[in-house]
């Protein structure tokens, strides 16, 4: 029998083909093949929200080839990814090829290993229509919000804006945090520390911090008001320090606590995104792209392509027993028997977790990061090492830590002063356990274990070598990093880990949020304006609890406990009512002009800070009589004072060309502007096939990007898809072109019409409808 196996990516097809052999034909859909139309709503709100799917532009060749191969095959196996998006892809393909007479089965595997693939092929099933309907509900909800709300923003704020069911909630988190920071009032406080020396000469000096003074806890904010003692000024701090210095110190009490620290569970999608952000400085988008490569297969020399990790979109901590067995064997051989717990660890997943999936773990015990390092890119190696170490550590024994606390008392004339004490702590690792391999990094506050303390006994006298007062200020809550924003989204049940990469990209692409030099998010002025408008007019839409409830209902659809049409209807009815009401009774919204002390150098009127398409700028208050404008210098300006110079020379005056940004995007301009006003588009690095000129990006009158020969109008060669300077491996054409579908799939296709070469670049799940 001839069998056809359809997967999503060419890389995955190559890995599976090596496992199944020549009796199977492997083909890739390169992501979604069908979606809602781009230029219309595509949802019939009057007919149970029936979606109108079309073949995604650019996928006609792929679908034609799949139909042709299906016609020749006796059995077709749909082996797309084991999640909602993968199920929807399988369903769309099945609907298109089911009339071809072949038997169609659905197979899923959570790791691309010989055992997992062959086991799945032995036990084929059918497409899970409930999972398809859950994906369809999410797609329809996002389309309704995107296509209904975005035009509203165009009308009320400015053209080109977009809103999304989940992206808008993420923006609200960033805006709310910024307002917390702005409203925060610093509070001064002081701490006091004494450098203590053992009188008996045993051990080194150590610092003790004032913990209690006159029976009041110093800066312990968790205690009741009457017990709390905050030292708020330098004078009070110095008086207390002088009082302590006038007394004799001694070691009053030694407290020892033996505690165990359990390892962190193996990675799930969200924790992998967080840890890779903290430890490797990977954006979430990059983490998912590299993880996809490790899952689908990496070329390991003569061995061929091998999938190195299990499926990377999961929220379950479950580990297969056989994986726990080989992990235990590795631990014994590398560390010893005592590093393996008596029973294999079990980590409890959240109630909403899809337990059919495993956690993210390595797939082969004999492919450690060091053994395959020579075959991996730097990013692949770093992420694979992180996944490997986290998994192995999760199967190891807890660490045993002994925490020792010295409580230092004070005496005056040999009599102990009750109610005043200093403290210091130190931790000794009695047994490292999993810490011998891996410890999880922290978000904003590193856990302090303390230093090594001298060998002393209770009652030993201590000499005060020094005492210091230290000024502090309470700190506002920190801005979100990618890691902490992902963590908050997950904790609040907003979106799904598989969509976080798209969410974070979208809010930046739409200029609703940006990152500062510390890689932390802050809202743009546009983000604040749009957020405040949505909060006022659509409070339920961007309510955290409501958004989390929608995610739960999508899970209920997948579990066959809810009907997708009813879920969409319950959402759309009040949403549409709010939208109609808001459209009627609201004027256009924009930030107010900010007066300045600067005077217009053309007419003498005061200059004001205005808000435009590209951010704030200075403009004459005498407009429209005077149209003088200037860039606004400073961190929040979209126009920088210092141009970024390039190595390219101006062909008119010889000065360096510089990157500039205008209403149609980036371009090159002479750095001697305004003396020399020469400008030119930025080259893509691809040469025109007609006259050899540089192909450059341009904008149409409607603002749509296209690419044409730099010698236009003499040469009229043009493309609607971005050219990429990469030779076609199939026909040798000079360049490929980039295409992107509505599902977020990006792929390269040959620019020659007679060549059908197509290769995937990356796969992203869409989180919101973006117009």
């Amino acid at each position: 029998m001839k069998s056809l196996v359809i997967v999503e990516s060419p890389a995955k097809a190559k890995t599976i083909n090596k496992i199944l052999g020549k009796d199977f034909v492997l083909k890739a859909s390169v992501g979604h093949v069908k979606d809602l139309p781009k230029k219309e709503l595509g949802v019939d709100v009057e007919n149970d929200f029936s979606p109108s799917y079309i073949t995604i532009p650019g996928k006609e060749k792929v679908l034609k080839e799949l139909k042709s191969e299906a016609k020749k095959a006796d059995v077709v196996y749909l082996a797309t990814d084991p999640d909602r998006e993968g199920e929807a892809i399988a369903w769309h393909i099945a609907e298109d090829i089911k009339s071809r007479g072949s038997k169609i089965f659905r197979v899923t595997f959570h790791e691309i290993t010989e055992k997992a693939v062959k086991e799945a092929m032995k036990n084929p099933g059918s497409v899970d229509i409930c999972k398809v309907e859950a994906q369809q509900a999410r797609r329809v909800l996002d389309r309704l919000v995107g296509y209904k709300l975005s035009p509203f923003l165009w009308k009320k704020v400015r053209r080109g804006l977009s809103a999304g069911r989940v992206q808008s909630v993420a923006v609200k988190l960033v805006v709310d945090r910024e307002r917390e920071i702005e409203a925060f009032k610093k509070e001064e406080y002081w701490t006091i520390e004494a450098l203590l020396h053992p009188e008996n000469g045993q051990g080194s000096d150590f610092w003790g911090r004032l913990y209690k003074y006159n029976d009041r806890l110093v800066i312990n904010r968790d205690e009741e008001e009457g017990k709390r003692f905050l030292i708020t000024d330098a004078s009070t701090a110095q008086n207390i320090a002088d009082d302590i210095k006038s007394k004799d110190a001694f070691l009053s009490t030694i407290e020892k606590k033996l505690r165990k620290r359990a390892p962190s569970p193996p990675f799930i999608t969200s924790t992998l995104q967080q840890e890779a952000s903290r430890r490797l400085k990977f954006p979430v988008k990059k983490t998912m792209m590299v993880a996809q490569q490790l899952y689908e297969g990496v070329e390991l020399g003569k061995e061929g392509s091998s999938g190195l990790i299990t499926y990377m979109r999961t929220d379950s901590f479950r580990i297969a027993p056989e994986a726990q067995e080989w992990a235990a064997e590795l631990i014994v051989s590398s560390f010893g028997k005592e590093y393996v717990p008596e029973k294999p660890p079990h980590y409890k997943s959240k109630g909403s977790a899809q337990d059919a999936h495993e956690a993210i773990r390595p797939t082969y015990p004999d492919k450690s990061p060091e053994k395959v390092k020579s075959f991996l890119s730097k990013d692949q190696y770093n992420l694979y090492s992180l996944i490997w170490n986290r998994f192995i550590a999760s199967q190891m024994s807890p660490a045993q830590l002994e925490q020792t606390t010295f409580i230092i008392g004070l005496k005056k004339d040999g009599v102990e002063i009750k109610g005043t004490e200093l403290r210091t702590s130190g931790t000794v690792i009695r047994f490292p356990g999993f810490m011998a391999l891996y410890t999880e990094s922290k978000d904003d506050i590193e856990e302090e274990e303390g230093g090594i303390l001298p060998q002393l006994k209770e009652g030993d006298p201590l000499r005060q070598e020094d005492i210091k007062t230290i000024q502090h200020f309470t700190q506002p809550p920190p801005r979100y990093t990618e890691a902490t924003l992902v963590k908050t989204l997950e904790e609040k049940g907003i979106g799904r880990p598989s969509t976080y990469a798209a969410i974070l990209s979208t809010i930046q692409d739409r200029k609703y949020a940006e990152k500062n030099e510390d890689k932390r998010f802050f809202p743009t002025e546009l983000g604040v304006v749009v957020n405040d408008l949505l909060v006022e007019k659509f409070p339920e839409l961007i309510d955290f609890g409501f958004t989390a409830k929608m995610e739960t209902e999508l899970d209920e659809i997948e579990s066959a406990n809810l009907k997708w049409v009813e879920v969409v209807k319950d959402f759309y009815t009040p949403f549409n009512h709010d939208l109609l009401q808001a459209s009627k009774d609201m004027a256009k919204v924009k930030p107010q002009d900010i007066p300045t002390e600067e005077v217009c150098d053309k007419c003498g009127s005061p200059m004001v800070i205005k808000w435009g398409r590209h951010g704030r700028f200075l403009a004459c208050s005498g407009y429209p009589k005077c149209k003088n404008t200037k860039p606004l210098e400073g961190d929040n300006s979209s126009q920088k004072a210092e141009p970024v110079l390039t190595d390219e020379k101006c062909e008119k005056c010889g000065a360096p060309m510089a990157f500039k940004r205008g209403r149609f995007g980036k371009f090159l301009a002479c750095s001697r502007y305004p003396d020399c006003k020469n400008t030119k588009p930025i080259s893509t690095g691809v040469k025109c096939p007609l006259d050899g000129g540089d192909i450059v990006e341009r904008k149409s009158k409607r603002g749509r990007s296209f690419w044409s020969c730099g010698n236009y109008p003499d040469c009229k060669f043009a493309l609607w898809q971005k050219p990429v300077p990469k030779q076609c491996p199939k026909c040798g054409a000079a360049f490929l072109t980039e295409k992107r579908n509505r599902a977020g799939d990006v792929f390269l296709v040959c620019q020659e019409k007679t060549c059908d070469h197509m290769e995937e670049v990356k796969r992203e799940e869409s989180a919101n409808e973006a117009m």
Side-chain angles (χ1 to χ4, degrees), residues 607-672:
M607 299 290 282
V608 294
I609 299 175
K610 283 185 172 290
W611 186 61
R613 185 174 183 84
H614 300 292
R616 289 286 192 180
F617 64 97
L618 278 172
C620 180
S621 59
Y623 180 87
K625 290 183 179 180
C626 179
K627 297 181 180 179
N628 186 26
T629 62
K630 292 181 180 181
L632 182 65
E633 308 295 349
D635 293 339
N636 293 326
S637 173
S638 61
Q639 303 181 46
K640 301 298 181 184
E642 293 295 327
V644 180
L645 301 180
T646 70
D647 295 331
E648 190 168 345
K649 300 296 182 184
C650 174
E651 59 266 30
K652 291 187 177 181
C653 71
M657 299 292 280
F659 287 114
K660 291 289 185 73
R661 181 180 289 277
R663 62 179 301 191
F664 296 120
K666 284 186 176 181
F667 63 95
L668 288 174
C670 181
S671 58
R672 290 185 61 244

Side-chain angles (χ1 to χ4, degrees), residues 243 245-250 410-417:
D243 181 37
K245 196 171 184 179
S246 68
K247 296 178 173 63
D248 300 320
F250 72 102
L410 299 174
K411 291 181 180 179
K412 183 69 173 180
D413 299 328
V415 179
E416 183 176 355
I417 307 298

Side-chain angles (χ1 to χ4, degrees), residues 282-294:
F282 280 9
V284 169
K285 192 174 183 179
K286 180 176 181 177
T287 298
M288 296 307 290
M289 181 182 72
V290 177
Q292 184 98 25
Q293 295 165 359
L294 295 173

Side-chain angles (χ1 to χ4, degrees), residues 24-83:
F24 292 82
V25 175
L26 270 291
K27 291 294 176 181
S29 70
V30 197
H32 284 267
V33 293
K34 293 197 174 183
D35 196 9
L36 300 175
K38 187 175 182 179
K39 295 184 178 180
E40 58 184 87
L41 180 62
V43 176
D44 188 350
V45 296
E46 303 297 332
N47 186 27
D48 286 340
F49 304 95
S50 176
S52 299
Y53 294 110
I54 63 167
T55 300
I56 296 170
K59 287 298 184 74
E60 295 85 359
K61 285 184 179 179
V62 173
L63 208 48
K64 183 179 179 180
E65 184 179 18
L66 294 180
K67 289 178 181 178
S68 174
E69 292 294 338
K71 193 174 183 180
K72 293 184 281 185
D74 297 306
V75 182
V76 177
Y77 296 96
L78 303 173
T80 48
D81 287 349
D83 56 16

